[in-house]
Amino acid sequence: MAEIVLKNIIKRFASLVAVNNLNLEIKNKEFVVLLGPSGCGKTTTLRMISGLELPDEGQILLDGEDVTFKRASQRDIAFVFQLYALYPQMTVYGNMSFPLRAQGYSKKQIDEEVNRAAELLKIKHILNKKPRELAGGDMQRVALGRALVRRPKVFLLDEPIGTLDAKFREEMRTELKRLHVDVGATTVYVTHDQVEAMSMGDKVVVMNKGVLQQVDTPQDIYRYPKNLFVANFIGSPGMNFMDCIPFKDANGKVSLKIGNIDKPLLIPDKLQKVIIDKGKVDKVIVFGVRPEDIYIEFKETNNYLKSKVFITETLGSYNIVDVKLDKYTVRVRTLPVVTPDINADAYIGFDMDRVSLFDKETENSLM
Amino acid sequence: MAEIKLVSLKKSFGEITAVNEIDINVKDKEFFVLLGPTGAGKTTTLRLIAGLEKPDKGDIYFDNVKVNDLGPAMRDVAFVFQYYTLYPHYTVRQNLEFPLKSNLRKTPQDIIDKKVAEVAKILHVEHLLDRQTINLSGGEMQRVAIGRAIVRTPKVFLMDEPLSNLDAKLREEMRTELARLHLDLGETFFYVTHDQIEAMTMGDRIGVLNEGVLLQTGTPDEIYNKPIDTFVARFVGSPAINLLDAEIDGKKLIIGKRDRAMQCSLNDYQCKLVGNAKSKSVILGIRPEDIIVSREKQEINSFECSIYFKQSMGVEDVLNLKVSDELIFKAVAPTKFNANIGDKVFANFMMDRSHIFDYESGKRLEI
């Protein structure tokens, strides 16, 4: 059982504000991912939770107890670094039992704990091997196992799989998620990889330049990004963005003029209302749409815009067709059978229930 | 412009066979991708083609001319590396001019100017020409590095993971640009990567290499839809294909050794396949997108299971489905399926799209 609360946390390194007034609640048994580019403050936040770094201002509560200035060793949390950090001279068993021996457990207790962890991680067959005999994925499992035997209140993981091959990373994402489902310990995980955040997190915390951008479930962060930064950071291939100007026609209907395209894009009442309410008629705003929310046709279609095929990327279960629309390259997700010729005319339409609009100046969502 | 032919090419370092008698025919103007995990022998193959390594055995032909005894300079290849190898204190223009000013070529200045202008335009670095490369971003540097390769017209472009040090967004952009550049230039590209997405999206054909052995060569479609063995099947595609141990029982495959929980009916073609199988034990390969999840049982190949956990991919969810502790597999479901952990659902195997492999060798069953 462990709940973590961060209140108004500020951390400075000389003149740099690494973490700027962060408020965050991590519930018991939750898998929370801190996500952002390098320098966003995610690792500093993790180190403050662990006790390896002290905040300049604010408070950290662990199960209601103020641990802001408690030492790392007094917090009962396990920290797994990016690097393997195994003792090369010890066997896997030796490595995994090390934290328990250090804490004076009996031989029998140690044996039980190591076997339990090894079972969970499916590494029982390598307990007698030395680290140098292990594959990369197994080394990570052993590093995790060493954290697991202590049954800590909280797991803190700092880009633990960042250095692995793409294929291994995918396997480890599933392993880690599965482990969390089975063990159910509160986990805080740091990464710059949005796929890791989306596929493992119960909750994703997006940070940029020390400032929290959004906290939400993966589904909501994907569907309802609060600003351009989040919209751009989440999703692969990413959301398409186009500058546009909403304008009123003679009947008072609001349509969008995208780039230098003469043909107006008609939008439903709901979006018209957003634009009018936010006072954005005749002002530049940003139109955002994900590749899977764009339809493509190869003949003129009502309220579709004319574009030219730039290239098609095949991914097996789907294709990404890149089209040039005005000055923009727009990515469209299609079925694998859609393989248009380069430079062919393509007409694209948008699922208006799923598009986003952003303020050009503040970059915040208008929705 | 060149055809590249590798014949029984072999290269060892001490006791390690890095490249083990591989045969590849790269057609003129083809974008060929050599794909494999770390240590597969990809980079060694590339260095053999460039003339930076000497093969122990086998021959290398450019346009049917044997080049084994030619040095790197005489082979007329252009190399783009993972790490940008630019001259940091030169401007972008000087870096681009450099290959043309070599004593070997002695290009007149007016031609150099013309070439540099052309290349800068193709790679969108015109505005950077007079900047020192040290002041460029990672993406800009890699563009210049590619520019330096294409400024002269070599016989072959060799690329060694040129995108792997870029961040995810930029990698996506550069992928499309490289694929389009290849079409526009109409030159032969030989590209090495461990990232199956790069291979699938850019390659005209892919060669999958593991432990020095070339396992399969084919178009992205062939590699994805007709993998020659379980390694290729697993390596290509994300989320990875499910590989389930199965037993042949007449016109059915039985999955789940103990409880025989899943009995998959085979189509006529598959019945013929398993009729010829050497052993009763096989591996059923089925991609997560070829398992359709429903709330109600369907007529055929529909199996009850529970949702163990889900991994969000934004556009869709990957469901980890559990039939028993030993029998867990992945299926892709639209986000609107609203999967919850613990839900009882039915997994419908689209057996027509499945693959059957020999249990011992892992090879695809063929008639």
Side-chain angles (χ1 to χ4, degrees):
Chain A
M1 153 89 196
E3 222 178 71
I4 304 164
V5 179
L6 306 183
K7 281 188 183 166
N8 306 107
I9 296 289
I10 297 178
K11 176 69 187 175
R12 300 182 192 92
F13 294 110
S15 63
L16 177 86
V17 185
V19 176
N20 198 349
N21 199 26
L22 177 67
N23 284 287
L24 187 63
E25 280 182 38
I26 297 166
K27 295 200 193 93
N28 186 33
K29 297 192 176 180
E30 210 169 31
F31 195 130
V32 170
V33 182
L34 306 180
L35 173 69
S38 53
C40 75
K42 54 191 191 300
T43 294
T44 305
T45 303
L46 196 74
R47 289 173 64 84
M48 288 191 285
I49 295 173
S50 74
L52 293 173
E53 208 72 72
L54 297 180
D56 293 318
E57 287 175 43
Q59 216 182 8
I60 300 173
L61 305 176
L62 186 57
D63 283 335
E65 184 200 353
D66 188 337
V67 298
T68 315
F69 298 106
K70 271 200 172 173
R71 299 225 305 262
S73 57
Q74 296 168 313
R75 295 194 190 185
D76 198 11
I77 44 195
F79 202 100
V80 181
F81 288 99
Q82 184 170 7
L83 299 172
Y84 306 121
L86 298 178
Y87 300 105
Q89 72 278 23
M90 289 185 197
T91 60
V92 168
Y93 187 95
N95 268 286
M96 285 177 64
S97 60
F98 185 76
L100 300 178
R101 279 182 282 145
Q103 287 177 44
Y105 280 73
S106 76
K107 224 173 155 0
K108 186 165 166 285
Q109 280 173 315
I110 291 174
D111 212 48
E112 274 174 22
E113 279 299 300
V114 171
N115 276 305
R116 181 187 63 90
E119 184 114 351
L120 271 173
L121 291 159
K122 304 193 176 60
I123 49 172
K124 277 189 96 158
H125 59 292
I126 56 166
L127 281 175
N128 293 320
K129 291 205 170 158
K130 293 270 177 70
R132 65 181 148 75
E133 300 171 83
L134 305 179
D138 280 338
M139 280 207 219
Q140 280 297 332
R141 279 180 208 121
V142 176
L144 283 171
R146 198 166 56 173
L148 206 60
V149 292
R150 286 174 45 196
R151 297 193 189 228
K153 279 187 177 169
V154 184
F155 280 105
L156 304 180
L157 301 135
D158 190 2
E159 310 233 7
I161 59 178
T163 53
L164 304 177
D165 264 17
K167 207 68 219 177
F168 256 142
R169 275 210 301 274
E170 188 191 318
E171 282 172 27
M172 288 306 289
R173 288 201 300 265
T174 304
E175 291 277 340
L176 279 168
K177 180 74 185 170
R178 178 175 177 176
L179 188 67
H180 178 255
V181 170
D182 290 346
V183 177
T186 309
T187 303
V188 188
Y189 188 103
V190 159
T191 183
H192 68 275
D193 180 344
Q194 62 95 20
V195 179
E196 285 179 22
M198 294 286 286
S199 61
M200 293 192 290
D202 296 320
K203 218 155 74 180
V204 178
V205 179
V206 183
M207 297 178 72
N208 187 33
K209 295 179 183 163
V211 179
L212 184 124
Q213 306 288 315
Q214 185 167 358
V215 184
D216 257 315
T217 62
Q219 292 75 21
D220 283 351
I221 232 161
Y222 187 80
R223 182 82 167 74
Y224 309 106
K226 283 198 172 138
N227 58 38
L228 273 178
F229 178 83
V230 175
N232 187 39
F233 204 78
I234 302 275
S236 173
M239 190 183 267
N240 299 290
F241 301 108
M242 290 164 266
D243 282 357
C244 66
I245 299 179
F247 67 97
K248 262 190 190 159
D249 66 13
N251 303 321
K253 289 263 180 210
V254 177
S255 304
L256 301 180
K257 180 176 168 63
I258 293 182
N260 289 315
I261 301 169
D262 287 329
K263 191 179 169 187
L265 183 67
L266 308 180
I267 53 173
D269 292 347
K270 202 183 92 186
L271 291 182
Q272 293 186 37
K273 189 172 179 319
V274 168
I275 288 166
I276 293 168
D277 288 353
K278 299 275 159 101
K280 292 297 174 191
V281 177
D282 295 329
K283 303 221 166 80
V284 180
I285 61 171
V286 180
F287 180 80
V289 58
R290 294 210 178 269
E292 64 270 25
D293 299 326
I294 306 179
Y295 313 112
I296 192 162
E297 293 287 346
F298 298 96
K299 55 179 194 303
E300 272 193 61
T301 306
N302 184 33
N303 207 30
Y304 279 43
L305 302 175
K306 188 177 174 183
S307 66
K308 258 198 179 0
V309 174
F310 183 66
I311 195 110
T312 302
E313 300 182 273
T314 55
L315 285 117
S317 60
Y318 63 97
N319 285 352
I320 296 291
V321 179
D322 288 41
V323 301
K324 288 281 184 193
L325 177 72
D326 192 41
K327 63 180 171 182
Y328 301 103
T329 303
V330 178
R331 291 191 163 81
V332 184
R333 182 176 161 127
T334 69
L335 295 171
V337 292
V338 180
T339 52
D341 292 334
I342 302 278
N343 291 329
D345 287 341
Y347 296 84
I348 59 171
F350 308 102
D351 181 345
M352 290 296 178
D353 285 334
R354 300 184 66 95
V355 302
S356 303
L357 302 175
F358 300 92
D359 190 303
K360 177 82 180 163
E361 299 302 317
T362 65
E363 303 197 340
N364 287 329
S365 172
L366 297 172
M367 315 291 283
Chain B
M1 234 172 78
E3 243 176 67
I4 309 169
K5 200 153 95 186
L6 311 182
V7 182
S8 308
L9 206 57
K10 186 170 177 179
K11 176 73 187 174
S12 303
F13 298 104
E15 284 178 7
I16 296 170
T17 308
V19 175
N20 200 351
E21 308 216 359
I22 65 172
D23 294 280
I24 298 178
N25 284 313
V26 181
K27 295 174 206 151
D28 185 28
K29 299 185 183 181
E30 192 171 41
F31 196 138
F32 189 89
V33 181
L34 195 57
L35 171 71
T38 309
K42 311 181 291 285
T43 300
T44 304
T45 306
L46 204 63
R47 291 173 61 83
L48 287 165
I49 297 173
L52 298 169
E53 299 282 353
K54 265 198 154 341
D56 300 335
K57 213 188 125 208
D59 296 312
I60 302 168
Y61 297 87
F62 285 6
D63 287 332
N64 294 316
V65 177
K66 193 163 144 184
V67 297
N68 286 37
D69 298 323
L70 296 184
M74 300 308 289
R75 292 194 193 185
D76 195 17
V77 298
F79 223 123
V80 182
F81 296 93
Q82 180 173 356
Y83 300 95
Y84 347 105
T85 47
L86 300 177
Y87 299 99
H89 297 291
Y90 278 19
T91 61
V92 170
R93 186 189 303 280
Q94 286 167 323
N95 266 289
L96 291 176
E97 282 177 346
F98 191 80
L100 299 173
K101 290 197 160 166
S102 118
N103 280 336
L104 261 165
R105 297 189 187 86
K106 294 207 176 83
T107 322
Q109 189 60 39
D110 56 327
I111 306 238
I112 292 182
D113 290 344
K114 199 169 147 247
K115 280 262 177 197
V116 167
E118 263 175 37
V119 165
K121 183 153 185 272
I122 293 173
L123 291 163
H124 312 294
V125 293
E126 293 152 294
H127 58 296
L128 303 173
L129 278 174
D130 296 313
R131 253 199 247 170
Q132 284 198 337
T133 47
I134 207 167
N135 297 324
L136 303 181
S137 72
E140 288 165 349
M141 280 206 223
Q142 196 57 294
R143 268 171 226 253
V144 177
I146 293 166
R148 207 172 49 172
I150 67 176
V151 70
R152 59 195 190 81
T153 319
K155 282 214 166 81
V156 182
F157 290 94
L158 303 177
M159 306 202 175
D160 192 3
E161 312 226 5
L163 307 186
S164 60
N165 284 324
L166 305 179
D167 69 38
K169 285 282 154 212
L170 206 51
R171 217 158 47 218
E172 244 169 50
E173 276 175 39
M174 290 295 292
R175 239 168 42 206
T176 26
E177 292 197 10
L178 267 183
R180 181 61 194 245
L181 180 70
H182 169 255
L183 283 175
D184 292 345
L185 290 176
E187 305 285 350
T188 310
F189 279 32
F190 194 101
Y191 187 104
V192 155
T193 183
H194 69 269
D195 182 342
Q196 58 98 15
I197 295 183
E198 287 180 15
M200 289 290 287
T201 53
M202 295 191 293
D204 293 323
R205 280 193 309 147
I206 300 170
V208 184
L209 194 68
N210 188 37
E211 294 178 346
V213 180
L214 188 71
L215 300 173
Q216 185 173 6
T217 309
T219 62
D221 178 57
E222 286 163 352
I223 298 277
Y224 191 81
N225 292 310
K226 285 200 154 185
I228 198 163
D229 63 14
T230 50
F231 181 88
V232 175
R234 272 197 72 77
F235 203 77
V236 176
S238 175
I241 194 169
N242 297 294
L243 295 173
L244 306 170
D245 292 355
E247 204 133 281
I248 301 166
D249 186 357
K251 294 186 165 190
K252 286 184 170 165
L253 285 188
I254 313 291
I255 302 167
K257 284 216 169 78
R258 246 171 272 164
D259 44 13
R260 298 167 65 87
M262 295 163 56
Q263 310 200 356
C264 301
S265 301
L266 300 173
N267 64 26
D268 292 347
Y269 176 76
Q270 289 166 332
C271 286
K272 267 189 224 160
L273 277 184
V274 301
N276 287 344
K278 272 179 280 171
S279 127
K280 285 247 168 258
S281 294
V282 290
I283 295 169
L284 175 69
I286 185 158
R287 296 203 180 272
E289 69 267 24
D290 297 327
I291 300 177
I292 296 176
V293 184
S294 64
R295 297 279 176 192
E296 269 108 49
K297 192 172 171 73
Q298 307 294 309
E299 255 166 63
I300 188 171
N301 295 332
S302 187
F303 309 108
E304 187 175 339
C305 48
S306 66
I307 298 178
Y308 188 19
F309 56 91
K310 74 173 175 184
Q311 297 173 284
S312 174
M313 306 296 280
V315 52
E316 57 207 4
D317 287 330
V318 177
L319 305 184
N320 287 258
L321 302 171
K322 190 172 184 171
V323 174
S324 67
D325 280 346
E326 284 85 42
L327 196 47
I328 297 165
F329 48 83
K330 292 184 179 197
V332 170
T335 49
K336 63 172 188 277
F337 186 79
N338 283 326
N340 287 308
I341 290 182
D343 282 2
K344 284 263 173 282
V345 294
F346 293 89
N348 302 287
F349 281 35
M350 302 293 109
M351 287 298 286
D352 289 342
R353 302 209 24 95
S354 71
H355 313 266
I356 305 172
F357 303 99
D358 179 68
Y359 187 82
E360 287 299 323
S361 66
K363 291 266 180 248
R364 181 184 195 83
L365 294 189
E366 301 282 359
I367 292 179

